[in-house]
Amino acid sequence: MSNRGLEGVVVADTELSKIYGEEGRLVYRGYEIEDLAENATFEEVCYLLLYGELPNSAQLTDFRRQLESERTVPGAVLDLLRLLPRDTHPMAALRTAASALAGFDPDARDMTEEANFRKAIRLTAQMPTLTAAWGRIRNGQEPIAPRDGLGHAANFLYMLTGETPDELRARTMDVAFTLHAEHGMNASTFAARVTVATLADMHSGLTSAIGTLKGPLHGGANERVMHMLLEIGEPDRAEAWVRDALARGERIMGFGHRVYRALDPRAPILRSLAMQLAAQGGDTRWLDIASRIESVMREEMDRRGKKIYPNVDFYSASVYYTLGIPTDMFTNVFAMARTPGWTAHMIEQLRDNRLIRPKANYVGPLDKKVQPIEKRG
Ligand code: ACO
């Protein structure tokens, strides 16, 4: 018998994060996610994931400077983006561009740990630049160069929209990045670790991870959540919409999780940010629809005896929409936030590497003989 979906299989020891599925609790290197979201910036969380401890003031200043200095991407990679058809999905564009970066990275082939740390910082810095550039190039606009002095999150919004975000918007983006930075042995992290375990380079691991994150059962869910909210359109239509979809046997995007059997702890943090943004903009429509969906789902799942709760994507969707991020770029936001987690996992994998090579249970036929081609049906 195969273990479908590798559920419950432990494939590595990690010091990066722990998920308490039954309690709905998430810890990065010993720190509760709520504590980090409230009291640390994304840059501090990146440092924590990569180096194992929060930075002191001098270390943070230096780390921020390193990230800032690595934001610019080679002009040739922007030219490559210009060659893509304009309707290329932003995750496909990001996957292609991230892979192409390898050709220009002075450390691409250097697999020493020092070089891998440099690449981890560089790739974390470059992912928002690539995403924002594609957001503009596909509309026939010139990419906006990164701006020194802006934090990682604020700079992304600036490069994407051309406007410097106010404090609430910058902080919201920053917290959303922190919430997505790391999450145990999820599918994309596993893909990254499998790739570098063959001793392929970090850009290959990153490219595998981006491709894996793209799917709607993983990172692609946040985009689908927004489609659902837009399709429902009005709070009063939410209940019937959800009940009809469930009756057709469909899954409601933004609900359910392989590991959490309780509320995903990231969801209420995003809900609170969504409320602050809605209060600032005076529009609670998406929140109202979301809370109606949540209550119908609670009722339906209780009736069916299933522990299905909102996950991180449920509230990230309306937050990103309100921040002016195009819906089809939501998964890119996830990818840029997860880059420190992915790269830290790759470094951890390589410290104590063993090729990851599970087995398959062959269930096909046996004892067949090759027939001459003219005798085959
Ligand atoms: N809506 C309705 N029913 C659901 C949902 C959902 N979103 N998720 C799971 N269920 C039901 C399944 O139909 C299944 O029912 P059954 O036992 O009667 O067949 C049961 O709950 C268990 O579901 P599984 O598919 O076995 O759970 P699994 O651990 O494989 O899947 C997954 C987890 C893929 C996340 C699933 O919950 C899902 O498809 N959710 C919607 C997509 C989504 O939001 N993905 C984002 C995940 S978080 C992230 O990647 C950041």
Side-chain angles (χ1 to χ4, degrees):
M1 267 291 282
S2 65
N3 186 328
R4 289 181 69 241
L6 295 182
E7 185 165 355
V9 175
V10 176
V11 297
D13 289 338
T14 182
E15 295 180 1
L16 286 162
S17 64
K18 179 161 174 68
I19 305 167
Y20 295 84
E22 294 293 332
E23 297 163 43
R25 197 174 141 207
L26 171 61
V27 173
Y28 293 174
R29 290 199 185 268
Y31 296 89
E32 300 290 332
I33 192 65
E34 291 82 359
D35 193 10
L36 290 170
E38 199 170 329
N39 299 310
T41 61
F42 178 67
E43 283 90 336
E44 290 170 81
V45 170
C46 288
Y47 189 98
L48 170 71
L49 291 172
L50 286 172
Y51 299 113
E53 200 34 272
L54 285 168
N56 63 28
S57 176
Q59 288 164 331
L60 180 61
T61 304
D62 186 50
F63 187 67
R64 287 183 61 129
R65 196 189 42 73
Q66 283 182 59
L67 275 170
E68 264 184 21
S69 70
E70 298 285 11
R71 284 175 180 163
T72 303
V73 299
V77 175
L78 296 178
D79 287 343
L80 179 72
L81 286 174
R82 290 187 180 96
L83 293 174
L84 294 177
R86 296 247 172 117
D87 61 355
T88 301
H89 190 280
M91 278 294 277
L94 184 66
R95 189 193 57 220
T96 301
S99 177
L101 286 175
F104 304 88
D105 193 313
D107 292 313
R109 294 176 204 195
D110 186 346
M111 290 287 276
T112 58
E113 195 163 287
E114 301 72 53
N116 283 340
F117 273 118
R118 285 197 296 274
K119 281 179 279 186
I121 295 169
R122 191 172 297 135
L123 290 169
T124 298
Q126 288 173 326
M127 296 281 279
T129 314
L130 292 176
T131 293
W134 179 241
R136 299 190 59 90
I137 288 171
R138 69 173 175 171
N139 291 328
Q141 298 165 306
E142 265 308 296
I144 296 176
R147 204 172 87 198
D148 286 352
L150 288 179
H152 192 76
N155 178 58
F156 165 62
L157 289 174
Y158 165 72
M159 290 188 297
L160 183 70
T161 64
E163 286 168 25
T164 310
D166 64 24
E167 207 180 312
L168 175 64
R169 293 166 90 84
R171 178 73 188 142
T172 299
M173 189 77 267
D174 184 89
V175 173
F177 280 168
T178 290
L179 298 179
H180 288 83
E182 161 58 12
H183 210 235
M185 197 53 72
N186 57 88
S188 54
T189 297
F190 183 53
R193 288 187 78 132
V194 168
T195 302
V196 295
T198 69
L199 301 186
D201 58 288
M202 258 189 154
H203 288 81
S204 299
L206 180 72
T207 308
S208 294
I210 297 171
T212 307
L213 186 72
K214 186 171 182 287
L217 296 188
H218 190 10
N222 53 14
E223 179 181 341
R224 305 284 182 106
V225 170
M226 199 62 226
H227 287 307
M228 171 174 73
L229 297 178
L230 290 165
E231 200 182 312
I232 293 174
E234 293 300 331
D236 285 347
R237 295 184 50 199
E239 180 169 348
W241 194 97
V242 173
R243 291 202 205 280
D244 287 352
L246 290 174
R248 287 192 302 271
E250 289 172 15
R251 284 169 186 232
I252 308 301
M253 292 290 127
F255 284 84
H257 199 276
R258 173 59 66 80
V259 186
Y260 291 119
R261 296 291 172 241
L263 183 66
D264 181 332
R266 302 165 295 179
I269 302 174
L270 282 162
R271 182 171 44 204
S272 143
L273 292 169
M275 284 165 74
Q276 292 173 49
L277 281 177
Q280 187 191 54
D283 179 5
T284 59
R285 180 153 56 132
W286 308 118
L287 264 177
D288 295 341
I289 297 174
S291 84
R292 295 286 273 274
I293 296 174
E294 213 180 321
S295 65
V296 186
M297 278 297 277
R298 197 178 310 122
E299 202 184 299
E300 285 280 341
M301 293 301 127
D302 279 354
R303 200 168 55 75
R304 294 166 194 217
K306 288 193 181 132
K307 290 184 171 178
I308 304 286
Y309 300 90
N311 59 45
V312 67
D313 291 322
F314 189 59
Y315 281 100
S316 66
S318 56
V319 165
Y320 298 164
Y321 193 78
T322 311
L323 290 176
I325 300 168
T327 308
D328 63 357
M329 291 197 150
F330 288 3
T331 312
N332 294 52
V333 176
F334 194 155
M336 62 183 84
R338 185 56 60 83
T339 302
W342 285 331
T343 49
H345 269 279
M346 289 190 253
I347 290 170
E348 186 176 65
Q349 176 68 34
L350 291 167
R351 266 189 196 158
D352 182 26
N353 189 48
R354 185 144 197 252
L355 179 74
I356 300 173
R357 203 305 188 187
K359 288 190 345 185
N361 178 33
Y362 179 71
V363 294
L366 292 166
D367 301 327
K368 297 181 100 175
K369 292 276 174 278
V370 176
Q371 295 293 314
I373 198 155
E374 61 282 5
K375 290 199 177 160
R376 295 180 211 161

